[in-house]
Amino acid sequence: MPFLGQDWRSPGWSWIKTEDGWKRCESWSQELERQSNPCNVSHSIIINSEDEEIYNNEEHEYASKKRKKDHFRNDTNTQSFYREKWIYVHKESTKERHGYCTLGEAFNRLDFSSAIQDIRRFNYVVRLLQLIAKSQLTSLSGVAQKNYFNILDKIVQKVLDDHQNPRLIKDLLQDLSSTLCILIRGVGKSVLVGNINIWICRLETILNWQQQLQNLQMTKQVDGGLTLSDLPVHMLSNILYRLSDGWDIVTLGQVTPTLSMLSEDRHLWKKLCQYHFAEKQFCRHLILSEKGHIEWKLMYFALQKHYPTKEQYGDTLHFCRHCSILFWKDSGHPCTAADPGSCFTPVSPQHFIDLFKF
């Protein structure tokens, strides 16, 4: 009999030959379910030799469509996992290795799903997803797309649960939705891997995430412990000087009046500008006050629009120059160098993207 099951590895349905033709056997659970719900129409159909071919074709087509729907439904929340958390980066075929490594393959092999649970790697993964959303979305394969949106879903749920880093995720979703809108409108001109309806559903999901983050309310914690207001002024100032993002300083300044005063310190913003930008860049975007003083805070945000800022991450991917392997430092890789530590190079998010440009 023809195979009509959902899984190609399963034996299919069981059939019994009767005097009236072939009849499909059903389990006791299916019979009880049918008896409890008299509205259901039984799928046990007695067919004769004349109608068998027509029935098989129709039933096979229906089963094929259902398998595809179930496969997509089940795989959207499932990520492809690999035992090895590293990948060999090669851009052309050699005698030892055939083919080349793609961005989608690297995205599948490296353990980004676990990396977002590590506070040291969270910002790194978010920035990497943002760069992919801006320029490399069309280069992801179907499996890489599912992994991408699965990880993105976990990031959004994590932010909604612990209320940390919402601004980073809002920026990521904004860039992703803008890119998808452009690609969907120009579907005939751009190459989107997958059905256009799937991408439209993903865009709707992104808009839903944005709405949830927009409605996110920070809950006030009442534990009776030490708070920022209890710290002396010099310690609060020291905390502000250790922040490398201007928006973090602005946000922290909204907590208490004391922090608001400290966040307007001209010397603080001067140090921040000197850390991220060169003196030649200062001269091109010099902003002076009415008294002739340099407005370092305004200069920082003006320079940020024209030049990239330095990026700081607690942990990043590493690249072994000897083995041409990309890996997380904690996981390691089978290095054959005499001094493995001297071959490791930290990989920035932009460097990660550049490794897979051909």
Side-chain angles (χ1 to χ4, degrees):
M1 295 301 297
F3 166 71
L4 297 176
Q6 292 188 8
D7 191 345
W8 63 270
R9 293 166 294 186
S10 68
W13 290 334
S14 299
W15 296 79
I16 296 178
K17 188 174 183 180
T18 64
E19 296 179 355
D20 298 325
W22 287 92
K23 182 177 180 179
R24 199 183 81 189
C25 294
E26 294 185 352
S27 61
W28 286 104
S29 59
Q30 291 175 329
E31 292 181 4
L32 291 174
E33 181 181 357
R34 185 179 67 253
Q35 293 175 4
S36 62
N37 189 0
C39 296
N40 290 340
V41 180
S42 174
H43 291 282
S44 299
I45 303 175
I46 301 177
I47 56 177
N48 52 35
S49 58
E50 296 178 356
D51 298 329
E52 181 177 358
E53 184 177 356
I54 298 176
Y55 171 77
N56 289 338
N57 292 336
E58 292 178 352
E59 193 71 14
H60 180 72
E61 183 180 359
Y62 168 80
S64 178
K65 291 181 179 179
K66 193 173 187 304
R67 282 200 304 273
K68 292 179 180 179
K69 291 181 180 179
D70 292 343
H71 176 74
F72 174 76
R73 187 182 301 112
N74 294 333
D75 283 1
T76 51
N77 297 323
T78 304
Q79 184 182 0
S80 298
F81 293 95
Y82 293 85
R83 180 178 301 177
E84 299 171 345
K85 305 303 180 183
W86 53 266
I87 187 169
Y88 181 84
V89 181
H90 55 291
K91 296 186 177 181
E92 57 184 8
S93 298
T94 62
K95 292 182 179 179
E96 294 80 11
R97 295 178 180 270
H98 295 281
Y100 57 90
C101 180
T102 64
L103 176 63
E105 185 180 358
F107 194 79
N108 295 336
R109 292 289 297 271
L110 298 170
D111 190 16
F112 289 111
S113 182
S114 299
I116 62 175
Q117 305 300 330
D118 191 335
I119 191 173
R120 301 172 303 166
R121 300 175 180 175
F122 183 84
N123 291 3
Y124 181 83
V125 176
V126 171
R127 179 57 178 166
L128 185 58
L129 295 182
Q130 190 173 19
L131 291 177
I132 293 176
K134 287 182 177 180
S135 60
Q136 302 296 320
L137 202 59
T138 56
S139 64
L140 296 180
S141 64
V143 176
Q145 291 172 19
K146 293 176 182 178
N147 287 349
Y148 181 95
F149 283 94
N150 182 43
I151 293 173
L152 187 58
D153 180 37
K154 292 182 178 179
I155 290 177
V156 173
Q157 297 305 320
K158 184 178 185 298
V159 173
L160 292 175
D161 292 338
D162 58 23
H163 298 175
Q164 296 182 9
N165 300 306
R167 181 174 55 83
L168 294 177
I169 311 307
K170 288 180 180 179
D171 294 341
L172 167 59
L173 294 179
Q174 181 61 39
D175 292 337
L176 183 57
S177 61
S178 300
T179 303
L180 274 183
C181 287
I182 295 173
L183 292 176
I184 290 174
R185 284 199 300 264
V187 64
K189 303 177 183 178
S190 61
V191 180
L192 273 175
V193 179
N195 192 300
I196 186 63
N197 295 324
I198 296 177
W199 285 104
I200 293 176
C201 291
R202 287 170 176 168
L203 179 59
E204 293 176 352
T205 302
I206 294 170
L207 297 177
N208 184 34
W209 286 338
Q210 288 179 315
Q211 188 62 38
Q212 293 181 38
L213 291 173
Q214 191 67 27
N215 299 332
L216 181 63
Q217 298 292 332
M218 299 295 180
T219 57
K220 186 176 180 180
Q221 297 181 357
V222 182
D223 52 7
L226 188 67
T227 63
L228 284 175
S229 303
D230 301 325
L231 298 177
V233 176
H234 71 277
M235 292 187 65
L236 296 176
S237 179
N238 191 20
I239 292 174
L240 289 171
Y241 271 88
R242 292 181 181 274
L243 298 178
S244 60
D245 192 333
W247 285 110
D248 290 338
I249 296 177
V250 173
T251 304
L252 187 57
Q254 299 173 355
V255 177
T256 63
T258 304
L259 286 170
S260 177
M261 178 191 65
L262 294 175
S263 65
E264 297 295 331
D265 183 15
R266 293 180 63 254
H267 189 261
L268 169 66
W269 291 99
K270 180 181 178 180
K271 287 289 186 181
L272 194 63
C273 288
Q274 292 175 343
Y275 172 76
H276 287 287
F277 310 106
E279 293 186 3
K280 293 182 179 179
Q281 297 170 343
F282 294 164
C283 300
R284 298 175 184 175
H285 303 275
L286 196 62
I287 301 177
L288 300 177
S289 64
E290 295 179 356
K291 297 181 179 181
H293 300 299
I294 299 177
E295 295 286 352
W296 290 106
K297 182 178 179 180
L298 297 178
M299 276 189 58
Y300 170 81
F301 291 107
L303 291 168
Q304 192 182 37
K305 296 178 181 179
H306 297 86
Y307 308 103
T309 57
K310 292 182 179 179
E311 298 178 353
Q312 283 186 335
Y313 304 104
D315 191 16
T316 66
L317 286 168
H318 283 67
F319 182 73
C320 180
R321 299 186 301 273
H322 177 78
C323 307
S324 296
I325 287 179
L326 194 64
F327 63 100
W328 292 106
K329 193 172 182 179
D330 291 349
S331 303
H333 76 287
C335 186
T336 58
D339 186 11
S342 61
C343 305
F344 299 167
T345 303
V347 178
S348 66
Q350 186 59 54
H351 186 198
F352 178 89
I353 302 296
D354 295 337
L355 283 174
F356 301 98
K357 285 185 178 180
F358 300 97

